[in-house]
Amino acid sequence: MRYSQLSDLLRKARAAVSKGPLCLIFAEDEIELESTVRHHLNAGFAQTILFAPPNIALPGGLQDSVLTVDFDTHQQGAVADAINTLISACPGVWIYYCYNAEYLFHPFSETRNVAEMLAFHAEERREAMLTYVIDLYAGDLDKTPNAVSRDDAHIDRTGYYALNRQAGPRGPKLERQLDFFGGLRWRFEEHIPKTARRIDRIALFRAKPGLQLSDNHLFSDPEYNTYACPWHNNLTAAICSFRVAKALRTNPGSRFEIDTFAWHNSVRFGWTSQELMDLGLIEPGQWF
């Protein structure tokens, strides 16, 4: 079913979004949109909602599996506004959000679904989960000029780091909050705005009254922005994403200055959660 706007969906299909976890996919273009939707349909979400411009349509086999909203993803602040609208409309519901050409991986995701993971996470009195956005890129840009290739996908095996997050330029350090960096945003930072260099995103969270998401992927409730609870490490997940590689190859300012994304720390991505755990990019916490 396709809706002309989010308010139309909430009015006509309220029951469909009243039980989570919900998966929100924001389509910036058609690149790997089908694979993104299929990946998340298989992940165990109760409902998937696609936000896409009217000229972007899913293949016939998928149209009945998702709710689609006509949406301008590129409008400033639009994504955060849509998420905040759903937060207000769906208190208590777990929500996940990503863009096309992005793929969620959590510990043991091949054998345990996202609903099972969130049930355990909630038992640990956590209402949000840190996800790292791990850059994917084609190993050969001559063969794949837009850098998007699932068959030739690579990731960086090292080069990730964190800095203490502060309350303002001269403010105190925030408890259990870190700014994470790495991947293409770090290696090609001269082409990335300073405000867009972080790779942390609280992409899984439980809606509650008054909660608001800002454009910089942080929430109004500081506890939602923490990487773990005070007493032990918690689960974390990763969003493996072609989004930065695609942007760097689309932007004229960077396209002609980058011949390859490959370096000595590039490894081929095998599309499993185990390799992400082996590299320390996702954390199983107490979930064995």
Side-chain angles (χ1 to χ4, degrees), residues 1-3 9 49-50 52 56 58 63 66-70:
M1 181 67 70
R2 188 152 194 153
Y3 300 89
L9 181 151
I49 305 173
L50 172 65
I56 293 180
L58 285 170
Q63 290 176 6
V66 303
L67 303 174
T68 301
V69 177
D70 289 340

Side-chain angles (χ1 to χ4, degrees), residues 135-181:
D135 290 321
L136 296 173
Y137 49 89
D140 188 338
L141 296 184
D142 291 330
K143 293 181 180 178
T144 314
N146 71 354
V148 180
S149 172
R150 286 177 54 84
D151 294 333
D152 187 32
H154 288 69
I155 62 173
D156 288 1
R157 63 182 179 88
T158 61
Y160 304 95
Y161 67 98
L163 299 175
N164 286 300
R165 185 175 293 156
Q166 294 178 273
R170 292 186 172 85
K173 296 177 183 177
L174 297 173
E175 182 185 0
R176 291 174 288 114
Q177 293 193 44
L178 296 170
D179 291 327
F180 294 87
F181 303 91

Side-chain angles (χ1 to χ4, degrees), residues 81-183:
D81 287 346
I83 293 171
N84 287 330
T85 297
L86 278 163
I87 289 173
S88 298
C90 307
V93 173
W94 281 95
I95 296 174
Y96 161 78
Y97 72 99
C98 70
Y99 299 84
N100 62 295
E102 294 192 329
Y103 310 87
L104 175 67
F105 286 86
H106 60 78
F108 321 115
S109 55
E110 291 77 22
T111 57
R112 305 181 196 177
N113 66 36
V114 69
E116 293 173 306
M117 176 188 67
L118 292 175
F120 175 84
H121 200 55
E123 289 175 359
E124 294 200 314
R125 291 181 287 167
R126 296 288 290 170
E127 295 188 305
M129 181 181 293
L130 173 65
T131 57
Y132 304 106
V133 182
I134 305 301
D135 290 321
L136 296 173
Y137 49 89
D140 188 338
L141 296 184
D142 291 330
K143 293 181 180 178
T144 314
N146 71 354
V148 180
S149 172
R150 286 177 54 84
D151 294 333
D152 187 32
H154 288 69
I155 62 173
D156 288 1
R157 63 182 179 88
T158 61
Y160 304 95
Y161 67 98
L163 299 175
N164 286 300
R165 185 175 293 156
Q166 294 178 273
R170 292 186 172 85
K173 296 177 183 177
L174 297 173
E175 182 185 0
R176 291 174 288 114
Q177 293 193 44
L178 296 170
D179 291 327
F180 294 87
F181 303 91

Side-chain angles (χ1 to χ4, degrees), residues 5 92 116 122 171 173 197 254 266:
Q5 53 190 355
E116 293 173 306
K173 296 177 183 177
R197 292 176 187 169
S254 54
S266 294

Side-chain angles (χ1 to χ4, degrees), residues 182-248:
L184 301 182
R185 297 172 191 259
W186 168 60
R187 290 200 279 127
F188 297 93
E189 65 177 12
E190 67 273 20
H191 299 294
I192 306 290
K194 189 173 182 179
T195 55
R197 292 176 187 169
R198 288 177 26 241
I199 65 168
D200 51 280
R201 185 192 301 174
I202 309 297
L204 285 153
F205 63 92
R206 180 147 52 185
K208 68 176 183 178
L211 184 68
Q212 291 281 290
L213 176 69
S214 67
D215 284 337
N216 64 355
H217 301 294
L218 295 176
F219 284 95
S220 55
D221 183 342
E223 187 61 30
Y224 273 61
N225 300 324
T226 58
Y227 56 82
C229 63
W231 48 90
H232 62 64
N233 290 340
N234 294 111
L235 279 157
T236 60
I239 298 172
C240 295
S241 171
F242 284 109
R243 192 168 174 239
V244 171
K246 177 162 59 86
L248 288 171

